[in-house]
Amino acid sequence: MYEIFSLYRTEISYTVVTVFALLIVQFLLKKAAHRVGKRSEINFTRTKLMFKYINILILFIAFFLLAIAWGMGLTELSLIFSSVFAVLGVALFAIWSILSNITSGVILFFSFPYKIGDKIKIHDKDLPIEAIIEDIKAFHLHLRTLEGELITYPNNLILQKAVSLVEKDVYLDEDKSSL
């Protein structure tokens, strides 16, 4: 056992330092996302979604750095990454709308001016919608119309259409009126 540690001392040291550094970076990124979510009054479930994205990013970085630390050359690593990304590119091209909705979900997290409970109007010439935002998910919004119909509206479309605020905090106002 001692021979293994002495033989791979440098690689083990790099691994420990890399893991420790990435855990610190992950903690700081999650803390920043939590701070943005709290300051912007974003629902905590949406903040947890950002935490998942941060975990995936840290995992990719960790794989890359640990592969280099354990002696994989940049040419082999670039071959692996280019092959994986080529396959992913072909697969994601077939399902581009899912990727588009995930990206839109990240954009909505940081810059969407409306919150859960707001009544909004989506100005679509074919099908205008006036509804209350019930939830904001990774792929879509849950909207509840005045008639009680639940509409799932894709995140990428909400960024492409004009949206106006009809009334803020409708659920809070309904709670006050029932008291």
Side-chain angles (χ1 to χ4, degrees):
M1 188 73 149
Y2 179 75
E3 294 172 7
I4 293 174
F5 284 123
S6 63
L7 184 62
Y8 295 108
R9 180 181 359 189
T10 340
E11 289 87 354
I12 292 172
S13 301
Y14 285 145
T15 301
V16 169
V17 169
T18 301
V19 168
F20 184 68
L22 287 177
L23 286 174
I24 291 172
V25 169
Q26 181 183 29
F27 174 76
L28 293 174
L29 286 174
K30 284 184 175 183
K31 193 166 185 78
H34 183 69
R35 199 174 320 119
V36 166
K38 199 170 198 170
R39 185 177 57 230
S40 302
E41 297 176 1
I42 295 173
N43 191 330
F44 186 67
T45 55
R46 289 183 58 208
T47 306
K48 284 182 9 182
L49 183 63
M50 285 299 114
F51 291 170
K52 288 181 185 178
Y53 293 153
I54 289 169
N55 288 341
I56 291 169
L57 174 70
I58 294 296
L59 194 67
F60 276 122
I61 293 170
F63 177 77
F64 179 75
L65 292 176
L66 292 176
I68 290 174
W70 283 88
M72 186 175 281
L74 287 179
T75 55
E76 294 92 1
L77 200 56
S78 64
L79 179 66
I80 290 171
F81 272 106
S82 64
S83 301
V84 168
F85 284 127
V87 170
L88 283 175
V90 169
L92 290 177
F93 181 74
I95 54 172
W96 68 269
S97 64
I98 292 175
L99 184 62
S100 171
N101 282 318
I102 290 174
T103 305
S104 298
V106 171
I107 293 170
L108 288 177
F109 177 78
F110 288 107
S111 65
F112 194 55
Y114 312 114
K115 308 283 183 246
I116 293 174
D118 290 351
K119 183 192 264 185
I120 60 170
K121 181 171 185 172
I122 301 170
H123 302 279
D124 186 357
K125 71 175 184 171
D126 296 329
L127 183 65
I129 298 172
E130 187 169 324
I132 299 167
I133 301 173
E134 274 196 355
D135 201 0
I136 302 173
K137 302 275 187 189
F139 299 104
H140 55 270
L141 295 160
H142 283 179
L143 303 172
R144 181 76 59 183
T145 64
L146 300 176
E147 295 80 29
E149 180 183 10
L150 178 67
I151 298 173
T152 56
Y153 203 80
N155 286 342
N156 62 350
L157 288 183
I158 200 78
L159 291 178
Q160 296 173 10
K161 305 287 181 186
V163 179
S164 60
L165 178 66
V166 175
E167 191 176 348
K168 202 150 188 55
D169 297 327
V170 173
Y171 287 136
L172 296 176
D173 292 341
E174 288 176 356
D175 291 341
K176 290 177 188 172
S177 65
S178 65
L179 292 176

